[in-house]
Amino acid sequence: MAGTYTQIYIQYVFTVKGRQNLLQKPWREEVFKYMAGVIKNKNQKSIIVNGVADHVHVFVGLRPSMSVSNLIRDVKNNSSDFINDRQFLPYEFSWQEGYGAFSYAHSQMDAVYKYILNQEKHHRKKTFKEEYLEFLQKFEVEYNEKYLFDWLE
């Protein structure tokens, strides 16, 4: 009997509700490790999770048994519960609705990994809005400006 073999790589990008700089350095890494654990527990491959104070990039190897939307829903729900249960903030934390999801070839893995790894350095030169709009344009994703993230100008 023939098996099913896949190689699907997805980079997710999502942001803190209100685009606030709430992901603080003292505990940010712990949240990213937790997200990687959620991905692993869903039987998916976490390649890298990283970000800055207001948004996160998650790069995964996705099995076809898991939908793109279900995985990120679970990552966002579980990680917001984790942040709130640990009381990292004196008020309730939540992620903004929506996300970007962009697919890559195996040959692009190293470049995407390095890009996500260097988020702090990258965002010294470019705003999140600039970065996100570049993703949408590069991947030729049609969008309505009205339904994008809340931007801080």
Side-chain angles (χ1 to χ4, degrees):
M1 178 185 266
T4 301
Y5 302 97
T6 64
Q7 202 67 238
I8 304 169
Y9 298 106
I10 303 291
Q11 177 185 190
Y12 295 97
V13 182
F14 55 98
T15 186
V16 174
K17 187 171 185 177
R19 286 281 328 288
Q20 297 180 69
N21 293 322
L22 298 180
L23 297 173
Q24 301 303 308
K25 280 190 178 186
W27 48 267
R28 185 185 310 162
E29 188 65 31
E30 189 176 348
V31 172
F32 295 161
K33 286 179 184 174
Y34 183 83
M35 288 178 176
V38 171
I39 294 163
K40 185 178 180 184
N41 287 338
K42 297 291 177 183
N43 202 26
Q44 307 304 309
K45 182 180 181 183
S46 175
I47 299 168
I48 186 171
V49 178
N50 198 20
V52 291
D54 68 344
H55 74 278
V56 179
H57 293 254
V58 174
F59 191 36
V60 300
L62 191 68
R63 296 178 189 272
S65 60
M66 173 68 71
S67 74
V68 170
S69 59
N70 284 351
L71 180 61
I72 200 61
R73 177 203 62 210
D74 292 347
V75 168
K76 289 171 73 175
N77 285 344
N78 283 285
S79 62
S80 61
D81 289 347
F82 178 78
I83 291 167
N84 289 322
D85 290 347
R86 296 284 189 288
Q87 298 181 333
F88 288 137
L89 299 166
Y91 40 82
E92 187 173 352
F93 175 89
S94 62
W95 298 107
Q96 194 168 117
E97 285 188 41
Y99 59 90
F102 309 98
S103 61
Y104 293 89
H106 184 78
S107 62
Q108 298 170 295
M109 282 184 66
D110 189 53
V112 176
Y113 182 91
K114 288 176 182 171
Y115 178 84
I116 294 172
L117 183 65
N118 292 307
Q119 279 296 291
E120 293 231 7
K121 181 180 176 185
H122 176 75
H123 283 290
R124 289 185 203 130
K125 300 175 187 169
K126 189 178 291 189
T127 67
F128 174 65
K129 182 177 183 179
E130 292 168 331
E131 174 188 53
Y132 195 72
L133 291 175
E134 281 181 14
F135 275 120
L136 295 174
Q137 291 162 2
K138 175 182 172 184
F139 286 88
E140 299 179 10
V141 175
E142 291 184 31
Y143 64 92
N144 183 331
E145 185 91 27
K146 178 173 145 182
Y147 298 110
L148 293 178
F149 295 121
D150 294 333
W151 306 116
L152 298 179
E153 303 295 338

